[in-house]
Amino acid sequence: TQLLKPIILNINSPGFPLRESLALVDMLESMPAPVITRAYGEIASCGFVLFCIGDERYVGPNVSLMYHEIAYGIMGKDSEIRNYSEYSKRVQKRIDKLIKSKTGITLKKLDEWKKPNQDKWLDAQEAVELGIATDMLY
């Protein structure tokens, strides 16, 4: 049996659109090879989710990581907006479960981080201490 070379994903991102990010998560999760994510600069919003899917997750010493609840802008009829809001809650639960399964951080902790009007910022050392990152890059 031939060992698969890992997929290495270097990330520096203020975030991506949600659907496109989840498509990339699905593609990487479906790969038989291990995924290694490495964070540089800023890793925020969906960039944070993408970073967390790594089987191994490394951070540069100067990285800033940010997590928050799903953010979206929508126009339409009241019923359409309420329908999208309910859908967003289900997607948020899936994202939180994915992060928990990869990092071990509790759903309770993620809920604390998603308080209204709050973004949770972490530095590299905090990310390692919390298990968000496996280790420092150097």
Side-chain angles (χ1 to χ4, degrees):
T1 305
Q2 182 180 12
L3 295 176
L4 297 172
K5 289 185 179 181
I7 297 167
I8 298 174
L9 186 61
N10 295 309
I11 307 169
N12 175 17
S13 170
F16 312 107
L18 178 63
R19 289 183 185 96
E20 289 83 346
S21 299
L22 294 179
L24 187 52
V25 166
D26 285 347
M27 284 186 271
L28 291 167
E29 287 280 277
S30 72
M31 301 290 180
V35 175
I36 297 171
T37 53
R38 300 190 298 201
Y40 301 90
E42 179 180 79
I43 305 299
S45 193
C46 281
F48 181 92
V49 176
L50 188 59
F51 172 72
C52 287
I53 65 135
D55 299 304
E56 295 177 31
R57 301 167 307 282
Y58 298 98
V59 289
N62 298 304
V63 75
S64 296
L65 298 100
M66 189 273 286
Y67 178 74
H68 62 173
E69 67 182 332
I70 288 178
Y72 56 89
I74 186 171
M75 291 179 54
K77 297 181 289 223
D78 185 52
S79 58
E80 293 169 332
I81 293 168
R82 280 185 274 124
N83 184 42
Y84 192 82
S85 176
E86 289 304 314
Y87 168 74
S88 298
K89 290 175 188 175
R90 293 193 316 268
V91 172
Q92 182 72 64
K93 285 181 183 181
R94 287 197 329 255
I95 289 169
D96 289 351
K97 286 180 184 177
L98 175 70
I99 292 170
K100 178 185 183 293
S101 73
K102 290 293 188 169
T103 68
I105 196 152
T106 66
L107 294 176
K108 181 179 178 183
K109 179 65 76 179
L110 291 173
D111 284 343
E112 289 173 13
W113 290 357
K114 291 183 306 206
K115 290 180 182 171
N117 301 318
Q118 177 177 309
D119 294 337
K120 177 62 176 177
W121 287 93
L122 303 168
D123 63 26
Q125 190 60 44
E126 290 172 307
V128 172
E129 289 170 2
L130 289 167
I132 299 295
T134 306
D135 206 348
M136 303 287 280
L137 278 165
Y138 53 91

